[in-house]
């Protein structure tokens, strides 16, 4: 089957596209090579929703590639646990943490200002924060 058709089917079904299945199949279809060790050395990445699921896996993968990873999440304890897991006590500067609720626009503005003030530049941003709820929920400020 043609790679584009498989990709379209993955997108149509949604869940396989955004689970481990999607990247695994796409890696085979397009022969994606793994990045070289240290490929992101000297780069700074930012990951929102870094404490769980895809965000945590992404933060870990970026760290393994040598990136300095700015961790953004809404749970201070989980952020600190992730920072410790990624860098231990000796490499804390490589994994700065910022507390923010991405559903609250005031919180987003505040964390954006804090990151702009603390980081010379960002080479990569992974906006992963999100949740799926069975009913509509309004966050502070009225965002859905």
């Amino acid at each position: 089957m043609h790679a584009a058709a498989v990709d379209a089917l993955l997108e149509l079904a949604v869940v396989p596209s955004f689970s481990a299945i999607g990247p695994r199949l796409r890696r085979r279809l397009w022969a994606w090579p793994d990045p070289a060790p240290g490929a992101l050395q000297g780069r700074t990445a930012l990951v929102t929703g870094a404490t769980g699921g895809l965000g945590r896996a992404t933060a870990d993968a970026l760290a393994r590639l040598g990136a300095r990873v700015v961790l953004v999440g809404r749970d201070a304890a989980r952020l600190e646990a992730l920072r410790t897991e990624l860098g231990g006590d000796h490499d804390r500067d490589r994994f700065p943490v910022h507390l923010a609720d991405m559903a609250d626009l005031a919180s987003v503005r505040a964390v954006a200002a804090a990151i702009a003030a603390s980081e010379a530049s960002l080479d990569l941003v992974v906006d992963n924060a999100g949740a799926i709820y069975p009913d509509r929920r309004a966050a502070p400020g009225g965002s859905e």
Side-chain angles (χ1 to χ4, degrees), residues 3 7 10-11 17 19-35:
D7 188 60
L10 286 171
E11 289 294 310
S17 185
S19 69
I21 297 167
R24 209 173 296 133
L25 281 175
R26 289 179 176 111
R27 177 175 304 284
R28 291 184 64 182
L29 289 170
W30 284 285
W32 290 345
D34 285 333

Side-chain angles (χ1 to χ4, degrees), residues 12-92:
L12 185 63
V14 180
V15 172
S17 185
F18 293 97
S19 69
I21 297 167
R24 209 173 296 133
L25 281 175
R26 289 179 176 111
R27 177 175 304 284
R28 291 184 64 182
L29 289 170
W30 284 285
W32 290 345
D34 285 333
L40 295 178
Q41 195 71 37
R43 305 283 186 179
T44 298
L46 180 142
V47 180
T48 66
T51 60
L54 289 173
R56 188 179 189 104
T58 299
D60 181 60
L62 293 169
R64 281 186 280 111
L65 290 172
R68 180 172 178 273
V69 186
V70 179
L71 306 167
V72 179
R74 62 182 175 197
D75 184 314
R78 289 177 71 185
L79 280 168
E80 283 301 323
L82 177 57
R83 177 199 294 213
T84 299
E85 181 183 313
L86 291 175
D89 290 332
H90 65 282
D91 209 5
R92 296 175 68 76

Side-chain angles (χ1 to χ4, degrees), residues 94-120:
R94 189 166 159 225
F95 304 103
V97 299
H98 290 274
L99 192 62
D101 182 349
M102 301 306 279
D104 179 350
L105 295 178
S107 181
V108 172
R109 287 183 191 98
V111 78
I115 291 167
S118 66
E119 300 299 325

